[in-house]
Amino acid sequence: MNKTFRQDLVVRPRRIRTDDWTRRMVAENRLSVDDFIWPVFLQENNGTSDVPSMPGVKRYGPDCLVDAIAEAVELGIPAIALFPYNNPETKTEDCREAYNPDNLICQATRSIRKHYQEIALIGDVALDPYNSLGHDGIVKDGVILNDESVEILCRQALVQAEAGCDYVGPSDMMDGRIGAIRDTLDEAGYTYTKIMAYSAKYASGFYGPFRDAVGAKGALKGDKKTYQMDPANSEEALRLVENDLQQGADMVMVKPGIAYLDIIQRIKNTFGVPTMAYQVSGEYAMIKAASANGWLDHDAVMMESLMAFKRAGTDAVLTYFALEAARLLK
Ligand code: PBG
């Protein structure tokens, strides 16, 4: 024992872990409510509905929405991201509902804005919740058309900006959409509507519960590998971020979250730009399911996972835990 324990070399690193006050003083990162963006699901019907694969998450109808936001505002959550669940009759192959100035996101934006000024609203820009074929772009003969989709995404972003969204969040992964949306917004005078670009979005199995939440699962044929990224790649993520920044992205996003912390860290270290991450539905579902079984301590794992984002260099996390985490921090 004495042979390996070198008294002369031991610096006693445990000394700074012995008491709570020291641990607090030397903590390198801290979570605050400012780190959270809350994703909110909207539905056409009044009332609320549950998302079975996402325990605790609800979709809110027009009559319940403003009340549902109240706590987020009170807790000081800086932003919410709006995602629509449309009835099957509303979905078409041409996705025209996406640019209807009275669609769910536009209506929700106007009604929330009427009641609250202190929370930012982020409109999701992608076609999947409006597409009877379930894809993020226009599908023709089984192919996801790029430039035709970008045209629709621009119209979608414009109606959201007109309704009062502070940010548009293109989550579609079509080529060239950031620049096209920037031009569209600028030409219409929305110079200060921000673009939160989903730049490094991977073709992930962790999105399953979200597709239940927006009702896109049944319709979707095949996978999204021709537009979302291959989980094997990270150099490509840097190229995509660089490209989106050149096209006018104000902030970039990595998605999913926990399995992609290396990507977040590389992006932050390389570009030093506002870097967001999405702790996606499958990550949420895993923690909820394991803690419902008593296999994990819910609050401990929730906070640890959020801290991991922070440590990797994330500026803010889209997380279904936003309200629960903010309550705990309070
Ligand atoms: C697609 C979109 C997805 C999510 C948000 N917007 C993924 C997808 O269906 O490919 C996933 C979010 C989550 O899993 O929480 N526009």
Side-chain angles (χ1 to χ4, degrees):
M1 191 260 199
N2 283 340
K3 277 209 178 88
T4 51
F5 193 84
R6 289 277 305 270
Q7 270 295 349
D8 53 329
L9 292 181
V10 173
V11 290
R12 301 287 173 194
R14 287 183 57 188
R15 212 178 278 126
I16 60 165
R17 298 181 214 133
T18 49
D19 43 73
D20 183 56
W21 53 82
T22 309
R23 288 194 296 268
R24 272 159 44 211
M25 280 192 288
V26 304
E28 295 172 36
N29 290 286
R30 229 170 288 273
L31 280 170
S32 93
V33 66
D34 297 330
D35 296 314
F36 306 139
I37 299 170
W38 185 37
V40 173
F41 295 110
L42 313 168
Q43 66 177 31
E44 293 179 48
N45 304 346
N46 278 334
T48 65
S49 59
D50 293 326
V51 183
S53 50
M54 300 177 74
V57 170
K58 287 188 183 322
R59 309 180 189 97
Y60 299 98
D63 59 330
C64 303
L65 183 61
V66 171
D67 283 349
I69 305 306
E71 191 188 0
V73 174
E74 200 174 305
L75 286 163
I77 303 266
I80 58 178
L82 301 170
F83 295 96
Y85 170 91
N86 287 302
N87 295 336
E89 316 82 76
T90 308
K91 301 182 190 204
T92 56
E93 287 190 24
D94 64 7
C95 307
R96 71 185 92 97
E97 181 67 9
Y99 52 87
N100 171 2
D102 281 319
N103 69 21
L104 277 176
I105 289 188
C106 294
Q107 277 182 31
T109 297
R110 285 191 294 265
S111 73
I112 296 170
R113 232 341 131 249
K114 215 180 287 165
H115 291 84
Y116 303 113
Q117 279 71 50
E118 55 277 69
I119 195 161
L121 303 175
I122 305 172
D124 182 61
V125 176
L127 303 183
D128 49 324
Y130 314 91
N131 191 344
S132 52
L133 297 172
H135 276 288
D136 293 28
I138 298 290
V139 185
K140 191 152 181 245
D141 303 327
V143 176
I144 295 47
L145 303 180
N146 193 87
D147 300 9
E148 292 78 353
S149 300
V150 170
E151 255 174 60
I152 299 190
L153 295 166
C154 288
R155 296 174 70 175
Q156 179 182 21
L158 184 59
V159 295
Q160 292 178 0
E162 285 167 349
C165 282
D166 305 282
Y167 293 73
V168 293
S171 69
D172 56 284
M173 291 295 279
M174 296 298 122
D175 295 340
R177 89 278 204 214
I178 301 300
I181 290 172
R182 186 70 269 161
D183 283 350
T184 304
L185 294 176
D186 287 350
E187 276 163 28
Y190 295 100
T191 315
Y192 284 92
T193 302
K194 291 163 267 292
I195 300 181
M196 184 177 75
Y198 288 64
S199 301
K201 176 170 175 179
Y202 287 85
S204 171
F206 287 102
Y207 304 149
F210 174 94
R211 292 180 191 166
D212 293 333
V214 299
K217 193 176 241 165
L220 182 63
K221 282 187 195 60
D223 54 45
K224 299 190 176 183
K225 289 181 186 169
T226 70
Y227 47 106
Q228 298 179 348
M229 278 184 68
D230 183 345
N233 297 351
S234 57
E235 297 299 333
E236 185 186 359
L238 297 185
R239 292 198 299 274
L240 291 176
V241 165
E242 184 173 30
N243 204 244
D244 283 354
L245 290 169
Q246 283 165 347
Q247 292 180 49
D250 298 290
M251 43 192 71
V252 295
M253 165 109 76
V254 176
K255 177 180 177 181
I258 286 288
Y260 296 83
L261 294 179
D262 57 321
I263 308 297
I264 296 170
Q265 190 169 41
R266 288 194 71 187
I267 290 173
K268 191 67 185 182
N269 289 347
T270 305
F271 300 101
V273 295
T275 305
M276 309 307 184
Y278 201 143
Q279 184 177 40
V280 299
S281 56
E283 304 178 56
Y284 175 85
M286 286 195 300
I287 293 177
K288 286 292 176 189
S291 41
N293 276 294
W295 297 336
L296 288 176
D297 175 337
H298 178 274
D299 289 353
V301 176
M302 168 177 76
M303 295 316 265
E304 182 179 334
S305 63
L306 293 168
M307 183 60 90
F309 284 103
K310 198 78 205 200
R311 197 185 58 240
T314 316
D315 291 285
V317 188
L318 273 97
T319 174
Y320 302 99
F321 290 119
L323 293 194
E324 283 174 279
R327 275 182 218 133
L328 264 191
L329 287 172
K330 210 172 169 186

